[in-house]
Amino acid sequence: MLTMPVMSLNALENVMNSCTKNLFRVLCLIVLSGAAWAQNFPSKPVTLMVPYPAGGVSDVIARTLNNTLSKHLGQPVLVENLGGASGGIAGQKVLSSPPDGHMIFQGSPNELILAPLSNAAIKYKPEDFRLVQMITINPLVMLARKDLPVSNGDELISYARKVAAEGKPLTYASVGLGSLYHLMGEHMSKITNVPMTHVPYRGGAAAVQDLMGGQVDIFMTPYGKGQVQMVEEGKLKAPVVISAERQELFKKVPTLNESAVLKGFIFDTWAGYFVHKDTPEPVVQALHKALSEVASDSAVKNALEAQAMIVPRPQSLSALSKLYSENTAKYQSIAKSMRLQPQ
């Protein structure tokens, strides 16, 4: 029979002391490694990944603040536009890059929560990203071709019902299959029981171009000063806004919530900055600090607010984690209720 050696009390204490010292050394190395990450970050130019082509609202946000962010980080911040798959192509590129904080994703629930639910080619999940700071809350407007014969929500659905009966359903644009704007169109069609046709684009700029050309009927979207000017010049029409109350830059435009048939149809969206979930904590902290300072910068705030955007107060990382989790649950529930399936 084999017998195990008996360890004396002193020997046991020596082993435990040695383990404690080794554990302490490991913890020290982790802390020092983290400090080194923070001290050396950023060690090269930082890329701000915008998941849509240049010219849209997302691009405007990025180019409004990238130079200010550069000053806070001490490195150039370069804007890269990469559209396609409702933002999924850009999102995948961020995850395929080293998780060192040098590539930041400017995104929203649209690209990170909804796109994976609708596009089978997108393999990432919302939890693969970490929200570092929110930058804008974006109210939504319904833009329409200039000759669309509607001026409020009830007229819109009446017209949609009429053209659907004629075999020419109302067409609505989005920035891609499974995007928030696609879901809004499907939701509107479902609750009114009126068939409508979805027309996906790679980004908002292309959708607006086709609206002006009359190739598509409506587009529910965030907006900026450029879109407001197009409406004022008569190049586009804004029959309704999607918010709970009328908006400052569209004071005469009714909300969908004011209509009888679409009361309660209220949406908005937001933009924030994300990194790969495996980004070292000291780097996340450094980015959070820099982005919070940018969000508090008066010049940046004034420029974004002039574009009809709301700039919220910077939030803590724990609050941002909670916000992102709640949004994930909310939009996944909407998608489930619509039986949205990856295609």
Side-chain angles (χ1 to χ4, degrees), residues 21-37:
K21 288 177 182 178
N22 287 334
L23 178 59
F24 180 73
R25 289 191 189 101
V26 170
L27 291 174
C28 286
L29 285 172
I30 291 172
V31 171
L32 290 173
S33 175
W37 270 108

Side-chain angles (χ1 to χ4, degrees), residues 34-225:
W37 270 108
Q39 187 175 6
N40 295 329
F41 176 81
S43 59
K44 59 183 179 179
V46 173
T47 298
L48 189 55
M49 179 64 68
V50 177
Y52 301 105
V57 174
S58 295
D59 185 57
V60 169
I61 295 171
R63 296 180 192 277
T64 297
L65 60 79
N66 69 308
N67 289 331
T68 303
L69 180 58
S70 174
K71 293 175 184 176
H72 286 281
L73 291 177
Q75 285 281 359
V77 176
L78 311 175
V79 177
E80 181 177 344
N81 299 88
L82 183 60
S86 300
I89 294 176
Q92 193 59 61
K93 183 172 181 178
V94 172
L95 291 183
S96 299
S97 301
D100 58 8
H102 286 93
M103 184 170 286
I104 307 170
F105 185 81
Q106 181 183 291
S108 70
N110 188 51
E111 301 84 29
L112 300 186
I113 301 172
L114 292 173
L117 295 175
S118 60
N119 191 328
I122 298 175
K123 302 303 182 184
Y124 60 73
K125 303 181 292 297
E127 53 268 29
D128 291 332
F129 293 85
R130 184 174 179 185
L131 178 59
V132 180
Q133 192 52 268
M134 183 188 287
I135 188 64
T136 61
I137 298 172
N138 301 78
L140 304 177
V141 65
M142 179 184 289
L143 299 175
R145 56 181 170 86
K146 63 182 179 182
D147 56 346
L148 192 74
V150 304
S151 57
N152 58 54
D154 290 324
E155 289 180 2
L156 172 76
I157 298 306
S158 178
Y159 176 78
R161 187 170 283 114
K162 173 179 175 293
V163 294
E166 295 170 354
K168 300 176 182 179
L170 190 79
T171 55
Y172 67 94
S174 83
V175 296
L177 184 69
S179 65
L180 172 62
Y181 321 112
H182 173 206
L183 262 68
M184 288 166 62
E186 288 294 313
H187 187 48
M188 180 180 292
S189 175
K190 181 180 178 180
I191 63 179
T192 59
N193 198 30
V194 177
M196 300 179 190
T197 300
H198 176 222
V199 183
Y201 291 84
R202 290 176 67 87
V208 169
Q209 281 295 123
D210 273 8
L211 270 181
M212 290 194 291
Q215 278 86 40
V216 66
D217 294 318
I218 62 172
F219 179 33
M220 291 179 278
T221 178
Y223 64 91
K225 196 172 182 179

